[in-house]
Amino acid sequence: MTVESVGDGYQGGVDAQTRSDSESNPESKPRRGTIFAAHLRSSAVVAVQFVAVAAALWILAWVVGKTWVVVLPLVLGLVVCTVLWPPVRWLRDKGVPPAAATLLVLLVAVGVVAGAVAAVAPAIIGQSGELAQQASAGVVQVRDWLGGPPLNIGEEQLNSAVAAINDRLSSSSAQIAAGVFTGVSAATSALVTLFTTIVVVFFFLKDGPGFLPWLRRTVGEPSGPHLSSVLGRIWSTLGGFIRTQALVSLVDAVLIGIGLVILGVPLAYALAIITFIGGFIPIVGAFVAGGLAVLIALVSNGPVNALIVLAIILAVQQLEGNVLQPWLQSKSMKLHAVIVLLAVMLGASLFGVIGAFLAVPVAATVAVVLRYYGEQVAEQAGENAAAP
């Protein structure tokens, strides 16, 4: 049933009831109660349809949650494929067999990531002790600030707060121990997910070009062409989004990292990496990474240094928002800032950090589907569909 037929059915019900009243009493117009009843029946039908759609979406979300251990490697593999597919396609165009091209690009990508981690890890380990000492000194400074004007919190109140925290930690020792075991289990699950994702990426890159033709033949007419078209658009949108975000995040990380190194902020390399990763979580990621850099600069180098770091981060963010993204991203891939923020919050609340990372790609995918649906509705209505 199409949207037009549903709308015509509702209007037809009202018109039929109106004609019935007019025919039974030609000299009078339809009664208000009759019109209200017809509208109420139409609203009831719409309400039932809305409840049915909401229930279907809830069941879909429940199934995704229950099968998340399988869905997550597939989604991560798809995201990684959007980055690795251009070099694989270039090698295949040069005559390299699909399996060899995929394996070569995958090994290079793993080597680059492992090399970056190996290059940064010594600096992080070497500076972690110094950072811990500076953090302790920062706690003392905060305590002195709380005891002075304008707050003037007494020594007894501060000691009582510290004692309450210690008591809370002591009473929660069993929960903390359980959290440690949970962390070990999560680390093991992360390793399994990582290995599964690598295998999925290999087969996606190797056999991916034949998926859409196979799906179109399998589904058949009339749904096959629509499904193939919308999946092709989703792939293009995700690829453009991920590659653009990677480039923008790299520029942010390099510029902010250079500023942190010049200012002598501890863990500058680690903060640059966090900035790069945070760039894939719009708005929230930049806020968290920037706040962490400012906090470390405040604890280690003082308020003046922290203000300079804050100015550098704001300048880089302005460069990103006003120059890089408008230049690198096409308008069809952009989402309103409110939608991005709500998507990140919803993804983080449902699936944690990985949900925040995948929130914007999922929102972009939904936007592509809705845009395609709008084009089809406009075509059936005889309107001029907007360019995708």
Side-chain angles (χ1 to χ4, degrees):
M1 178 180 295
T2 62
V3 176
E4 294 83 352
S5 62
V6 173
D8 294 342
Y10 295 158
Q11 187 62 38
V14 177
D15 294 343
Q17 186 67 40
T18 303
R19 288 194 302 270
S20 177
D21 293 339
S22 300
E23 292 173 358
S24 59
N25 191 359
E27 297 181 356
S28 63
K29 294 183 178 181
R31 297 178 181 177
R32 296 173 60 90
T34 302
I35 298 177
F36 288 156
H39 290 171
L40 182 61
R41 284 193 295 270
S42 301
S43 301
V45 173
V46 173
V48 171
Q49 291 175 337
F50 175 80
V51 171
V53 173
L57 293 177
W58 184 87
I59 294 174
L60 178 61
W62 180 82
V63 171
V64 171
K66 290 297 183 180
T67 59
W68 186 242
V69 67
V70 177
V71 173
L72 180 58
L74 294 177
V75 175
L76 290 178
L78 183 62
V79 171
V80 174
C81 284
T82 60
V83 179
L84 300 182
W85 171 242
V88 171
R89 180 176 55 190
W90 182 82
L91 290 175
R92 293 177 63 159
D93 293 340
K94 296 299 181 181
V96 180
T102 300
L103 184 61
L104 178 61
V105 172
L106 199 56
L107 290 176
V108 171
V110 172
V112 170
V113 174
V117 173
V120 175
I124 296 176
I125 296 174
Q127 294 177 336
S128 59
E130 179 184 357
L131 180 62
Q133 295 177 359
Q134 293 170 347
S136 300
V139 172
V140 174
Q141 293 177 2
V142 171
R143 181 172 179 173
D144 294 340
W145 176 75
L146 292 175
L151 298 179
N152 296 321
I153 299 178
E155 186 72 18
E156 295 182 357
Q157 292 176 311
L158 293 175
N159 292 333
S160 300
V162 173
I165 294 174
N166 291 331
D167 294 340
R168 177 61 179 173
L169 292 175
S170 300
S171 62
S172 304
S173 58
Q175 298 179 359
I176 294 174
V180 171
F181 289 108
T182 302
V184 173
S185 176
T188 304
S189 176
L191 291 176
V192 174
T193 301
L194 177 61
F195 176 77
T196 307
T197 301
I198 293 175
V199 175
V200 168
V201 168
F202 174 80
F203 285 106
F204 276 2
L205 292 175
K206 174 179 173 293
D207 303 323
F211 174 72
L212 287 182
W214 170 83
L215 183 65
R216 183 167 183 167
R217 293 193 306 269
T218 303
V219 175
E221 299 289 344
S223 302
H226 294 292
L227 187 59
S228 177
S229 178
V230 73
L231 288 179
R233 293 189 184 189
I234 291 173
W235 171 261
S236 299
T237 300
L238 288 180
F241 172 79
I242 295 298
R243 288 190 291 269
T244 299
Q245 286 299 121
L247 182 57
V248 171
S249 299
L250 179 61
V251 173
D252 288 353
V254 171
L255 295 179
I256 293 177
I258 292 175
L260 296 177
V261 170
I262 294 175
L263 294 173
V265 178
L267 291 175
Y269 297 107
L271 291 172
I273 292 178
I274 293 174
T275 302
F276 175 77
I277 297 174
F280 290 93
I281 308 176
I283 301 176
V284 177
F287 176 79
V288 173
L292 182 60
V294 172
L295 177 61
I296 293 178
L298 176 64
V299 172
S300 60
N301 297 352
V304 176
N305 194 279
L307 290 176
I308 297 175
V309 171
L310 178 60
I312 292 175
I313 292 175
L314 291 178
V316 172
Q317 293 298 326
Q318 290 298 316
L319 175 65
E320 171 194 336
N322 298 322
V323 178
L324 291 179
Q325 284 191 344
W327 179 43
L328 296 174
Q329 279 189 339
S330 63
K331 294 183 179 180
S332 62
M333 287 170 18
K334 294 178 64 176
L335 297 174
H336 195 276
V338 174
I339 297 177
V340 172
L341 181 60
L342 293 178
V344 171
M345 293 177 60
L346 180 60
S349 64
L350 294 178
F351 300 105
V353 177
I354 192 65
F357 170 72
L358 296 175
V360 178
V362 171
T365 299
V366 174
V368 170
V369 174
L370 293 178
R371 190 179 300 118
Y372 184 84
Y373 173 73
E375 293 175 6
Q376 298 304 310
V377 171
E379 182 179 352
Q380 294 182 16
E383 302 172 358
N384 292 327

